[in-house]
């Protein structure tokens, strides 16, 4: 059944939603095949297997015509220099999405299969993901990076698309914040 109009309390300090839906926790071991340095990934995954990011959802369900939201928090860190990031995905039917940066420093890497785009994400930046662009978020700073996502409930997550094609670029730690390198290098 469709849900009723509702207010969701957003705590701008704690970055929580209330009421809250499911929370997802992704550890290093959940990110197989994504970092360039497989040995460094494997050592971290089979070692202390740190939490890389969490996703807290609103109670709005992920079903067609609803408009759910979530807050993703990526921990600061890197694996052999490659900045900690989300898995990244394409929406199977190419729906668009909106991100609003809330805390810390990050980047929004997008790839349409040919072109790559990078947006610096600082608190207050709205990042627009157009239809057909796969998207991955990266923590470029030294504290947790959090952002709000608003997306069509039927958007889905095609993770295989990114495993197959990559994201065009990879983001490495640099003194200036981030060094973007071609995916294959
Ligand atoms: C959903 C939206 C985000 C991500 C989240 C985790 O469309 O883009 O909520 O799911 O940032 O990233 P990923 O790539 O592991 O789903
Ligand atoms: Zn998405």
């Amino acid at each position: 059944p469709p849900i009723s109009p509702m207010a969701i309390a957003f705590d701008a300090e704690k970055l929580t939603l209330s009421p809250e839906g499911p929370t997802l926790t992704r550890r290093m071991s959940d990110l197989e095949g994504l970092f360039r340095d497989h040995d460094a990934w494997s050592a971290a995954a089979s070692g202390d297997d740190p939490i890389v990011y969490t996703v807290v959802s609103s109670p709005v369900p992920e079903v067609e015509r609803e408009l759910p939201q979530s807050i993703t928090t990526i921990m600061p860190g890197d694996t052999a220099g490659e900045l900690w990031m989300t898995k990244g995905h394409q929406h199977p039917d190419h729906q668009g999405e909106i991100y609003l940066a809330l805390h810390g420093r990050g980047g929004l890497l997008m790839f349409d299969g040919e072109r790559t785009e990078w947006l610096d994400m600082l608190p207050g930046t709205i990042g627009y993901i157009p239809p057909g662009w796969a998207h991955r978020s990266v923590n470029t700073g030294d504290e947790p990076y959090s952002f709000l996502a608003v997306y069509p409930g039927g958007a889905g997550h095609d993770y295989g698309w990114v495993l197959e094609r990559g994201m065009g670029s990879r983001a490495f730690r640099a003194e200036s914040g981030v060094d973007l390198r071609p995916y294959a290098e």
Side-chain angles (χ1 to χ4, degrees), residues 56-106:
V56 179
S57 302
S58 86
V60 178
E62 289 190 345
V63 301
E64 211 60 61
R65 300 174 66 212
E66 298 285 2
L67 201 56
Q69 319 96 50
S70 63
I71 295 175
T72 300
T73 299
I74 309 174
M75 300 305 145
D78 67 79
T79 298
E82 190 170 2
L83 291 162
W84 284 5
M85 59 191 182
T86 60
K87 291 175 72 166
H89 60 271
Q90 176 70 282
H91 295 155
D93 292 327
H94 287 186
Q95 288 97 334
E97 180 164 7
I98 289 169
Y99 285 180
L100 168 63
L102 300 172
H103 177 85
R105 307 177 70 87

Side-chain angles (χ1 to χ4, degrees), residues 13-76:
E13 300 262 302
K14 296 187 189 129
L15 305 180
T16 54
L17 299 172
S18 178
E20 172 182 293
T23 295
L24 182 80
T25 300
R26 296 241 205 248
R27 293 182 174 274
M28 190 60 80
S29 55
D30 298 313
L31 305 183
E32 183 165 15
L34 300 175
F35 289 99
R36 186 185 62 179
D37 189 329
H38 183 269
D39 292 345
W41 167 80
S42 177
S46 59
D48 60 352
D49 196 18
I51 291 174
V52 179
Y53 60 100
T54 59
V55 186
V56 179
S57 302
S58 86
V60 178
E62 289 190 345
V63 301
E64 211 60 61
R65 300 174 66 212
E66 298 285 2
L67 201 56
Q69 319 96 50
S70 63
I71 295 175
T72 300
T73 299
I74 309 174
M75 300 305 145

Side-chain angles (χ1 to χ4, degrees), residues 26 34 62 86-95 97 111 132-136 154-167:
R26 296 241 205 248
L34 300 175
E62 289 190 345
T86 60
K87 291 175 72 166
H89 60 271
Q90 176 70 282
H91 295 155
D93 292 327
H94 287 186
Q95 288 97 334
E97 180 164 7
F111 182 52
W133 288 76
H135 38 289
R136 163 178 288 165
H157 299 85
D158 184 351
Y159 295 107
W161 194 98
V162 168
L163 282 170
E164 219 171 279
R165 298 174 184 78
M167 286 296 300

